Amino acid sequence: MAAAAFAELTAPRGQNAVPAQWPDLSQVSDEELGVLLLTAYANTAGSLRFAVQHAVETRQVRYSPDSCRRLLAVLVDGLARRDAADLPLAAGALLRCTGAWPDDLAGPAETLVRFMVGKGRIEHRRALLAVAAVAGQRVRRKIGRAIAPNGRIAQDELELALTWDTAGIALMAEVTDRSYGSPPMLPEAWQRLAATDYAGFARRALEAADARLAAIQAGEIRYVADKAFTADEVRTLERAARVALARDETWLPALLDRLLRGVAVAPTKAKTLPSQALLYAVARAAQDFPTPEAATLLRTVRGITRHAGVPKQLDRMLKKIEAALADRTEVALRLPGLGFGRDGVLRTPVGGHEAVITVTDEVELEWRGPGGKPLRSVPAAVRRDHGATVTELRDLVKRVRAHLTTLGRALEAGFTVERAQPYGRWRDELLTHPIAGTVVSRLLWEIEVSPGDWRAVLPGAAGGVLQDSAGRPVPPAGDDTAVRLWHPIRSQPGEVRAWRDLLAERQVRQPFKQAFREIYLLTPAEAETRTYSNRFAAHIVHYRQLYALLKGRGWTTELLGPWDGGAEGDAKRTLAAGEWRASFFHEYAEWAEDLELAATDQVRFDHREDGVWRAAPLADVPAIVFSEAMRDVDLFVGVTSLAADTEWADHGEDRLRAYWHRAGFGELTASAEVRRDALARIIPRTKIADRCSLDGRHLVVRGELRTYKIHLGSANILMEPDDSYLCVVPSRRKPGDKVFLPFEDERLALILSKAFLLAADSEITDESILVQIKRGG
């Protein structure tokens, strides 16, 4: 296969000629791919050149010592033609060489670095320095002076690099400098760097940044918005943060607490920051090496920054951090106690009064007077004499809420990882933890009672007795017994119904949708198409809303629009600790100047094999991975579809109105079916129970004036007897304030609010609604 590819590369055809069929490069070994890459660079007219370069971007290419020599020679030969050299590729080859480096690399290495410095092409500083190191100590020192960065912190990093050997500098280039032709980063590259003396530098660099920010906040250094650090220093500090997070340094949380607070707010009342770049750099580092402390601190500073755009950007980054945290199980579920008792209560005496912070499904701060008498607000004397303490307690409430949010989202994001942990550790670190226990005790868990046999349990409050779906006590497990988070796709329908009944009866609101979680099983149609699903294809959605939701849920996608290359796109999300990837295809459609729509298309899956993504049949996708990905896509379509827009009944083109009616009153999706199941438990407990019934796709509400059918998917309303459409603008009032909802769902709350309104239709005073009801009523 390699011989066939080599022949194709050197075939005497024009540069743009394309063969009838390219050789399958997936069958070529990593070392053979290295030889082909050299040929691709040397023979620009070869028809496989770009295919080989693309293969290198997705494979861990290897080089024999002879290939390393030839690569540098090819790069030197290409200087006249390309007026540049791919130094990151050269530096990476040093780390991917299968034997000792040849002795005759110094000459071509010196030629490459002198040429690039002479042209002012020094953007890849570490790669430049690594290749210079091959040329010898004299050249390395000279190049080091030529590439000196701006800023003391970045200069210190360069000084450290100049003391390293060639392999060490090449390793720093591996994590720093990437080019279009670079192969994927070497596995564990950051961990290898973290095992060097760079770890000590990382602490010194971050401490220097913290000290500078403290001086800015104290007025010792003049404040200039976004100028606290140079661009070179920000890049250095991002590397330092990555290394410290990768090592999970014990000193890091306290330092990050000070640093992030210092960087997020101006020392004046200005709505600017000392350095947005550094704030985002730390967040990017946490995306690669997340810790619960870093996630919580970023969420905390999100709430204190005065810059309008920063919270939105941090929200997007936090989504990725929380998803990545689920894959880092050794640290993901770690929470501080913060002085709370096992009952989740912290009592603090303050000036003859007592502040009580209680953690249940909410975090509340209450004040009590002498004798424990509850007070409505902060006592005036406490506010006057202990203002700093009041502020500290309020900050603590925010911090605890951030911890709980981080934990809940990390647990939910970990569904597809399906990792278990010992029961003893789970009990001691989570279930009986004063803060984490309030989350863990409201979730369902599975205990492996025998190999491959799992039993679902609900922990009692404050680490109490485990119970089954009938509420019966279950004996505690041994400390070494495996325990994992329960998912409905692994249970029979009868068991799922029993858990839903129990939670609804006890009015347990779970931290995220678990017992009532939608499941998506492979359909016969999807088994027939094999490699793609059309389940959510052919929907018309509001594009900008879809784009925001994709980003918010941690999917990566490019913005589409009326420009070259902006017509089609696919959003991607990795699952199961990076082993699987889902792709959701969609097309941009600009129907009018003020209306950006998109049409949805297929969902496909890829599996990572030997570091390469390969298309996978749907039948091979793990059931929980398939279900979680399709659940996201259902959410995207359900929320952004025109069918959910009440104003589309009498507007738009005929084709759009037809879609609105078809989708707005069509078959129920899995999310709508779960909504139906929840309503079956909620409605009987309400005062309008005798006026409501569930009938197929609708909640039927009998009012005094007419009978109404509320669609369980779109929440659109039809009125009997002629099925005329009733437009009701959604109210901001949530019935969940008075009616228990087993999970957060805006559409469920909307359906209930409409049901309460229409059950008492004779009391409606809004003329825009009454005129519709009375027309033909």
Side-chain angles (χ1 to χ4, degrees):
M1 190 60 65
F6 181 83
E8 193 64 56
L9 278 167
T10 56
R13 285 195 296 270
Q15 182 172 354
N16 296 321
V18 178
Q21 184 176 2
W22 284 346
D24 183 4
L25 294 179
S26 66
Q27 304 303 312
V28 173
S29 71
D30 293 340
E31 195 164 332
E32 289 172 332
L33 187 59
V35 176
L36 289 174
L37 179 62
L38 302 179
T39 310
Y41 263 86
N43 297 274
T44 56
S47 58
L48 267 178
R49 173 188 167 197
F50 293 110
V52 170
Q53 289 179 323
H54 177 69
V56 170
E57 293 168 17
T58 59
R59 296 265 300 275
Q60 282 300 347
V61 61
R62 300 291 175 183
Y63 303 92
S64 67
D66 183 60
S67 292
C68 287
R69 178 192 296 109
R70 290 177 56 201
L71 176 60
L72 263 64
V74 165
L75 292 176
V76 170
D77 291 343
L79 290 176
R81 186 169 61 248
R82 297 188 175 92
D83 202 35
D86 192 339
L87 292 184
L89 183 66
L94 298 174
L95 296 177
R96 292 167 174 81
C97 192
T98 58
W101 299 333
D103 296 329
D104 55 352
L105 298 182
E110 184 171 357
T111 300
L112 289 171
V113 297
R114 286 187 179 277
F115 181 91
M116 294 296 283
V117 171
K119 291 287 185 179
R121 301 292 301 275
I122 61 173
E123 61 270 20
H124 295 131
R125 284 187 171 92
R126 301 302 174 271
L128 192 63
L129 193 61
V131 177
V134 174
Q137 184 68 18
R138 176 185 58 82
V139 177
R140 172 164 56 175
R141 281 290 174 185
K142 186 172 183 179
I143 296 301
R145 290 192 295 272
I147 64 172
N150 293 320
R152 181 69 259 172
I153 295 173
Q155 292 167 8
D156 289 344
E157 184 189 42
L158 176 60
E159 288 299 320
L160 173 67
L162 288 171
T163 67
W164 285 4
D165 61 14
T166 303
I169 302 174
L171 179 61
M172 189 181 292
E174 178 72 12
V175 302
T176 302
D177 295 336
R178 317 296 297 167
S179 68
Y180 177 77
S182 295
M185 188 183 297
L186 285 171
E188 306 297 316
W190 279 106
Q191 288 81 351
R192 288 169 59 183
L193 183 64
T196 69
D197 55 353
Y198 194 94
F201 166 78
R203 181 170 187 172
R204 294 193 300 274
L206 291 169
E207 287 175 342
D210 177 39
R212 188 182 302 177
L213 288 167
I216 290 172
Q217 294 293 340
E220 298 167 5
I221 296 177
R222 186 171 70 90
Y223 173 70
V224 181
D226 289 315
K227 297 296 183 182
F229 304 94
T230 68
D232 290 334
E233 286 181 316
V234 169
R235 286 189 283 269
T236 293
L237 290 168
E238 183 171 347
R239 288 188 285 274
R242 271 190 170 86
V243 165
L245 287 165
R247 292 171 60 89
D248 193 24
E249 298 281 16
T250 56
W251 50 263
L252 186 60
L255 192 152
L256 278 185
D257 190 10
R258 299 191 304 271
L259 187 149
L260 290 174
R261 290 176 185 274
V263 81
V265 181
T268 65
K269 294 182 179 180
K271 296 181 179 180
T272 55
L273 283 73
S275 177
Q276 281 191 65
L278 180 57
L279 177 60
Y280 296 150
V282 173
R284 284 193 300 271
Q287 289 175 10
D288 288 342
F289 300 102
T291 65
E293 295 85 0
T296 297
L297 290 170
L298 285 166
R299 191 176 300 284
T300 299
V301 300
R302 177 211 177 279
I304 65 175
T305 185
R306 295 189 288 266
H307 191 290
V310 169
K312 293 181 181 179
Q313 178 64 21
L314 284 180
D315 283 343
R316 288 191 287 267
M317 301 178 91
L318 280 164
K319 286 287 185 181
K320 296 180 180 179
I321 292 170
E322 288 153 358
L325 190 58
D327 298 335
R328 203 178 182 196
T329 54
E330 70 276 15
V331 303
L333 307 182
R334 183 176 62 210
L335 264 76
L338 301 177
F340 283 76
R342 288 190 60 178
D343 58 354
V345 177
L346 176 67
R347 295 176 172 83
T348 305
V350 185
H353 296 77
E354 185 180 52
V356 181
I357 301 177
T358 305
V359 183
T360 53
D361 57 342
E362 299 288 343
V363 184
E364 301 292 347
L365 171 60
E366 299 176 339
W367 291 91
R368 295 177 184 173
K373 180 182 178 181
L375 304 175
R376 291 186 176 183
S377 61
V378 184
V382 171
R383 186 183 297 109
R384 181 188 65 243
D385 301 332
H386 304 277
T389 301
V390 173
T391 299
E392 289 174 4
L393 289 168
R394 288 173 174 168
D395 286 345
L396 180 59
V397 169
K398 295 177 182 177
R399 187 177 173 189
V400 173
R401 287 173 179 162
H403 276 301
L404 294 177
T405 299
T406 298
L407 175 62
R409 291 183 177 174
L411 287 169
E412 185 177 20
F415 266 134
T416 60
V417 180
E418 294 195 276
R419 286 180 181 153
Q421 57 183 308
Y423 179 85
R425 177 188 172 193
W426 171 81
R427 177 196 60 218
D428 297 340
E429 297 182 10
L430 289 176
L431 181 59
T432 59
H433 189 280
I435 298 175
T438 62
V439 172
V440 173
S441 62
R442 290 180 286 130
L443 291 170
L444 302 176
W445 299 83
E446 286 182 306
I447 297 173
E448 192 174 29
V449 293
S450 61
D453 182 16
W454 296 81
R455 173 186 292 174
V457 297
L458 174 68
V465 178
L466 304 179
Q467 301 168 56
D468 64 14
S469 59
R472 297 181 298 245
V474 174
D479 284 357
D480 295 329
T481 303
V483 59
R484 68 184 182 187
L485 196 61
W486 177 89
H487 192 286
I489 205 165
R490 294 192 293 257
S491 298
Q492 296 299 315
E495 183 184 17
V496 175
R497 285 194 296 271
W499 281 120
R500 290 177 178 178
D501 288 340
L502 182 68
L503 294 175
E505 179 184 347
R506 296 184 178 180
Q507 296 197 356
V508 174
R509 188 192 299 272
Q510 295 192 288
F512 50 85
K513 193 185 288 188
Q514 186 193 30
F516 285 88
R517 199 173 192 83
E518 306 87 348
I519 61 173
Y520 300 79
L521 302 174
L522 197 66
T523 65
E526 289 162 342
E528 183 72 21
T529 56
R530 290 192 67 251
T531 59
Y532 62 89
S533 168
N534 279 329
R535 191 183 307 196
F536 298 107
H539 283 275
I540 302 174
V541 299
H542 289 285
Y543 175 65
R544 290 287 176 161
Q545 190 180 9
L546 172 66
Y547 179 77
L549 197 54
L550 286 165
K551 289 288 192 179
R553 293 287 296 177
W555 290 63
T556 58
T557 186
E558 297 295 329
L559 182 67
L560 302 182
W563 50 74
D564 288 345
E568 299 178 350
D570 63 324
K572 300 181 184 296
R573 178 190 172 190
T574 56
L575 305 104
E579 291 299 311
W580 288 90
R581 183 176 69 182
S583 297
F584 173 39
F585 293 82
H586 50 284
E587 300 177 0
Y588 179 82
E590 187 178 26
W591 292 84
E593 289 186 3
D594 60 344
L595 180 62
E596 291 184 285
L597 302 179
T600 63
D601 206 341
Q602 301 172 354
V603 177
R604 293 176 177 264
F605 288 84
D606 300 310
H607 186 224
R608 190 188 293 275
E609 299 176 9
D610 299 324
V612 180
W613 289 113
R614 303 189 189 281
L618 300 183
D620 292 349
V621 182
I624 198 167
V625 171
F626 181 84
S627 184
E628 287 297 300
M630 298 298 277
R631 180 177 183 268
D632 263 7
V633 178
D634 188 0
L635 170 70
F636 300 150
V637 173
V639 171
T640 67
S641 170
L642 291 188
D645 191 335
T646 57
E647 297 183 3
W648 270 92
D650 299 312
H651 297 82
E653 301 178 7
D654 291 343
R655 184 166 37 145
L656 297 183
R657 284 200 300 271
Y659 165 77
W660 179 88
H661 195 277
R662 182 177 69 253
F665 297 98
E667 295 292 333
L668 299 185
T669 63
S671 58
E673 290 285 2
V674 167
R675 212 169 282 133
R676 188 184 197 282
D677 197 25
L679 286 167
R681 293 169 170 80
I682 295 170
I683 291 295
R685 302 173 183 271
T686 66
K687 65 181 182 181
I688 61 171
D690 61 336
R691 290 184 170 271
C692 297
S693 62
L694 288 164
D695 182 13
R697 309 171 190 173
H698 301 94
L699 173 63
V700 180
V701 181
R702 180 173 53 82
E704 295 291 341
L705 305 178
R706 298 187 76 162
T707 297
Y708 311 88
K709 298 189 296 186
I710 307 174
H711 192 265
L712 301 178
S714 64
N716 290 336
I717 306 168
L718 296 178
M719 297 183 287
E720 294 184 352
D722 56 351
D723 279 353
S724 55
Y725 173 68
L726 173 62
C727 178
V728 175
V729 177
S731 169
R732 291 185 178 273
R733 182 178 62 86
K734 294 183 178 180
D737 295 340
K738 298 180 180 180
V739 177
F740 169 75
L741 301 182
F743 53 85
E744 289 292 333
D745 182 352
E746 289 187 7
R747 194 67 55 81
L748 175 62
L750 177 60
I751 291 171
L752 279 169
S753 69
K754 288 182 176 182
F756 274 87
L757 174 73
L758 298 174
D761 57 1
S762 60
E763 300 175 13
I764 295 175
T765 58
D766 189 326
E767 286 297 327
S768 67
I769 299 176
L770 283 175
V771 70
Q772 297 177 77
I773 293 175
K774 293 177 179 179
R775 185 190 304 132

